[in-house]
Every structure is written in C-alpha cells, then in structure tokens.
Amino acid sequence: MIIKHKYLWISHIIIRMSVEKLIKNELKTGSSISSTRVRIVESPDSISLAAGDPSFTLPKYIADAVYQAIIGGCNHYCFGGDPELKIAISNYYENQFGYKVDPEKQIIITSGGSGSIFASYGAILNPGDEAICLDPAYGGGSGGPRYFGAKTVWAKLKKLEGGAFRLDEESLKKAITPKTKALYIENPGNPSGIIYNKNELKIIADLAIDHDFCVLSDEAYTEYVWTNEKYTPIISLPGMADRTFAAMAMTKMFAWAGMRTGWVITGENMAPYVNRVPGSGASWPIMKGVIAALNGPRDFIEGEKKEYKERIDYCVKRLNEMPGVKCATPEGAIYIFPDITGTGLTSDEFVRGLFEQEKVRIGSGKGYGIGNGEGNVRMSMIRPLSTQKMPAWFEMTPNTTLEAAMDRVERFVKKTVSK
Ligand SMILES: Cc1ncc(COP(=O)(O)O)c(C=O)c1O
C-alpha cells in the first residue's frame, strides 16, 4: 500500500525544519521560493497576458445563491463540506465524463485548485518520497512536494516539430525510482496545452500500477478542450480509482479565482487521507453558490468557451504570421505557448524585451520547470478581443485589447528579427 501510517507530529517537525532551511537558503541566495519566472514591475499602460485569472462576470443567480446563504444561516462551520454540493459535483463529473463518483466517500471539498493539489500531496507524500513532474509544468503543482519533506523529480514532455508537447515515455520511465510515490500531471496542461490521449493515459496508468505510485491529475481546465476527442479522466482507467487524486477547481471553469473553491476526487480508500490534511475546506455560502452554478444551465460556461476559442484562434494565427515564431493550437486550457527560438532570443530575453519595449507582460517558458520550456513563452487568453464584451470592472481601452497586444508583440518581434 502506498500510503503508510503517518507519524503526523514527527513528520510535521521534519517538514517545518526543511521548509525553514529552504526559506533561509533562498533568502541568502536571493532566489525565489515560489518560482523562477522573470519578475517585472507592472506599469500603468501595460497589457498583461500573464496570470490565468478569468475575467467574466458571474450570472446573477449564482450571486443570489451566495447572498441567500449568508442571510439564511450558512455562517457556521460546515464540517466535511456541504453534502448537497458533493452530490452536485458527483452529477457534474458523471455528466461530463461518464464516470460515477460516490458523493460521500470520494469527494473532498477544498479552497481551490491549489488547495486540491496541496491536500492531495499531503495525503500521498511522506518525508523522503519523490514526486515526478513533467517539464514544462504548472509551478503550483511542481512546487508542492517540498512542503511535505519530499522531492520533485523532473521528467520531460517531448516537444514536437510543430511546437506541441506530448508524453515522453522514456523520460518518465527514467525518472521512476523506488522512492517515487506520485506523478503530477496537468490534464489539460498549463502551459503546454497537452491533453493526454488514451494511449498516453494507459502508459501512465500501467507505470503507476507496476511501480506502485499515485497520479495527481490536475483537472483545473477540463472545461476547456479544443479538440474533438472526448476527455478521459485517468481515474476512470482500470485499477486507477485508488491511485488517482483528481484536483479540480471552480477557478477557471466558472471564473471563480477570488472565491476559492475546489475539490479532490479520489478512491474510497484514499479519501480519508485527503480529509485529514488540515487547512482545506471552503466557505459555506460560496459552496451554496457552487451548487447553484453546477446545477444551473451551462450557458455561462459555453459563452466563456466560445470567447476563449476565438481568442486562441486569433492569436495563434497572428503569431504564426510573425517571423521566427511558431505557435501550435493548444489541445486544452486557456493559454498559448508559442516557440520563439527563431527570433534568436531566449525565453527570458523575449519576456523582458517585450515588456521593456512594448509593455506586454507574459511568462517565460523556462520558468515552468528546469529548462524544457526554454524557447517558449506563455500567453494567457484572459483579455478580450475588441468584438467581445467585458465586465464593467475590467479596465480596457482600444489600446489594451487582445488585438492591440498582438500588434505590440508583432512590432517587438519584427524589430528583433531585423536586427
Ligand atoms: C493547472 C493549474 N492547477 C491549479 C491552479 C490553481 O488554481 P486555484 O487558483 O484554484 O488555486 C492553476 C492556476 O493557474 C493551474 O493553472
């Protein structure tokens, strides 16, 4: 069995000591504990395509449900999470993916995607264990193991000629050791845009079963699938229920970033371990809002998807017309990850130069791992096209639309390449 008896207090002390050592070291060296991404100070006329914080206004019936909950007595503890919410999540997962989940025994409510990841690692890892991440990966996922005294071990995704990323079976196999207890994948991938196909999922599942490790499947973007293939959650594969921790969140699917709600779906035998990790849970009135959202019509989500797809298609086309830039259409999620090696710049130089010269803020591919994302940059599709409506609170002028952002990128690229 993967999860052994936990000597909670001893583990706690060891973890505290290693995290404190880590912080001291990082303060000494000046490096960042959270990420190696290029840090640039914001400027008032900048356009940010950096964070993945969706900017849509929630439908009124969701806000009403939250308000009614506040004035209706949901200001108490809600130990274990609202049972009605767990039923709504179970129905949602079954409707979306055809996989049945026991609401009481397999779902743990968390405070968002990060909470779901953290609680899953907390359930799986003991000090000295190893968790494999596939470079490039979301930093909130790859950074987690160290807080449990465990180590992140990197394998690579394979970069194809056209710029897309795929599973690299050999690289993954090489990273597996007797200490491997978890593999973290984002499916769909951030920043890679990958959606693992059935063959890749089977390879991962077979390795997990053969080598006795768990899969932390980050499913924050399952609403955003841009291919015609039906999404397969890895938990649905034979033998994977008690090895999978599906980390989900309302954040991206319902533009819920500041309202902090998510959940973990795992096997009946594993759920109690997730439940034991302290500090998770969500606010009860917000849980009532999630129930209204999940049980309500899908118009809001379908509207978001339509707009994201228009933005992605527009940017992919614009970028592919720029000299030295190649951009694959992502299979999923809300980012594009163009290859900029043809411009002659490194990812960090591109990010820095684009901000200094054109005030467009994006992410360096190098920061999403230990270097396999070098040559790529991440652009978040959170800004609207000029034809799309945005909420009144979203500050936008004709100079800061997505078209304007692409015009600035193009000017920067042309200037760079012609030097
Ligand atoms: C793949 C992935 N997982 C999890 C999260 C974190 O989600 P949350 O904001 O709900 O903590 C993000 C945020 O960008 C993400 O990209």
Side-chain angles (χ1 to χ4, degrees):
M1 195 75 260
I2 291 166
I3 298 184
K4 303 167 200 104
H5 175 68
K6 295 205 150 208
Y7 300 98
L8 267 178
W9 287 108
I10 300 173
S11 311
H12 199 80
I13 292 165
I14 297 171
I15 292 160
R16 262 203 84 97
M17 281 164 57
S18 52
V19 171
E20 275 165 19
K21 198 167 128 212
L22 193 82
I23 293 170
K24 271 187 203 143
N25 274 345
E26 299 209 355
L27 286 177
K28 234 189 309 178
T29 58
S31 66
S32 152
I33 191 166
S34 56
S35 146
T36 54
R37 272 170 239 173
V38 177
R39 277 153 195 257
I40 298 168
V41 179
E42 196 73 67
S43 142
D45 62 339
S46 68
I47 300 178
S48 179
L49 301 180
D53 186 349
S55 13
F56 295 92
T57 298
L58 284 178
K60 187 172 173 304
Y61 65 86
I62 296 176
D64 284 345
V66 175
Y67 175 70
Q68 289 305 328
I70 293 170
I71 59 168
C74 293
N75 54 329
H76 299 279
Y77 289 120
C78 182
F79 294 119
D82 191 312
E84 206 191 327
L85 172 57
K86 293 184 174 183
I87 292 169
I89 292 169
S90 160
N91 290 338
Y92 170 80
Y93 210 74
E94 189 174 358
N95 290 340
Q96 283 291 101
F97 311 122
Y99 183 74
K100 213 166 169 39
V101 176
D102 184 313
E104 264 313 302
K105 296 187 181 143
Q106 289 188 261
I107 297 173
I108 304 96
I109 308 298
T110 71
S111 55
S114 311
S116 302
I117 294 169
F118 196 79
S120 300
Y121 275 138
I124 303 168
L125 297 174
N126 284 317
D129 289 345
E130 292 178 356
I132 300 174
C133 294
L134 306 179
D135 189 0
Y138 169 62
S142 60
R146 67 174 105 176
Y147 295 100
F148 300 96
K151 187 175 154 197
T152 298
V153 173
W154 288 98
K156 282 182 185 175
L157 287 176
K158 198 187 310 175
K159 188 166 161 181
L160 306 184
E161 194 45 43
F165 286 83
R166 297 251 56 99
L167 180 72
D168 184 333
E169 185 179 351
E170 287 318 305
S171 174
L172 173 56
K173 279 183 178 161
K174 267 195 218 145
I176 298 170
T177 77
K179 291 183 181 171
T180 305
K181 290 293 176 293
L183 166 67
Y184 169 78
I185 54 169
E186 328 95 55
N187 193 23
N190 166 19
S192 67
I194 186 175
I195 296 185
Y196 294 90
N197 59 37
K198 284 203 175 118
N199 184 39
E200 290 167 324
L201 291 175
K202 170 131 183 24
I203 291 171
I204 292 173
D206 287 349
L207 288 171
I209 292 166
D210 289 351
H211 296 272
D212 196 16
F213 61 78
C214 295
V215 177
L216 203 178
S217 173
D218 186 333
E219 299 180 5
Y221 297 97
T222 43
E223 280 291 349
Y224 306 112
V225 171
W226 311 122
T227 65
N228 294 325
E229 294 294 308
K230 199 164 161 38
Y231 179 87
T232 306
I234 195 162
I235 195 168
S236 66
L237 268 60
M240 286 307 288
D242 270 326
R243 288 188 185 279
T244 302
F245 293 73
M248 300 192 81
M250 289 292 280
T251 309
K252 316 290 173 175
M253 56 197 256
F254 262 95
W256 212 269
M259 287 160 65
R260 314 306 307 139
T261 329
W263 55 88
V264 178
I265 295 179
T266 185
E268 286 184 22
N269 295 314
M270 295 297 125
Y273 292 96
V274 184
N275 248 331
R276 263 182 232 174
V277 180
S280 212
S283 132
W284 198 2
I286 299 290
M287 285 196 254
K288 292 294 189 195
V290 180
I291 295 167
L294 292 181
N295 290 344
R298 282 186 53 86
D299 320 18
F300 175 72
I301 288 193
E302 294 305 332
E304 282 183 314
K305 284 166 73 168
K306 183 172 167 291
E307 296 208 358
Y308 279 131
K309 185 67 172 73
E310 285 171 3
R311 296 173 197 178
I312 290 170
D313 288 347
Y314 174 81
C315 290
V316 167
K317 182 167 181 300
R318 286 289 307 264
L319 286 159
N320 279 323
E321 286 163 2
M322 297 179 200
V325 181
K326 270 191 309 197
C327 188
T329 302
E331 291 180 327
I334 56 169
Y335 309 96
I336 51 175
F337 200 46
D339 180 328
I340 50 84
T341 38
T343 63
L345 298 181
T346 65
S347 301
D348 284 1
E349 285 166 350
F350 192 97
V351 170
R352 203 180 295 278
L354 182 62
F355 186 78
E356 282 170 1
Q357 295 179 35
E358 295 290 347
K359 305 275 184 287
V360 177
R361 207 153 72 83
I362 59 173
S364 165
K366 193 180 161 196
Y368 294 91
I370 54 167
N372 196 34
E374 174 53 51
N376 290 69
V377 291
R378 192 192 81 163
M379 300 178 181
S380 174
M381 295 290 99
I382 46 156
R383 289 202 89 76
L385 288 160
S386 57
T387 48
Q388 298 175 341
K389 262 212 195 113
M390 286 304 280
W393 50 263
F394 190 89
E395 283 172 30
M396 210 189 55
T397 69
N399 280 340
T400 58
T401 59
L402 198 50
E403 289 96 327
M406 286 300 123
D407 290 346
R408 296 191 200 193
V409 175
E410 184 175 73
R411 202 157 49 211
F412 170 72
V413 167
K414 284 188 171 161
K415 233 190 285 170
T416 304
V417 171
S418 67
K419 266 186 196 155

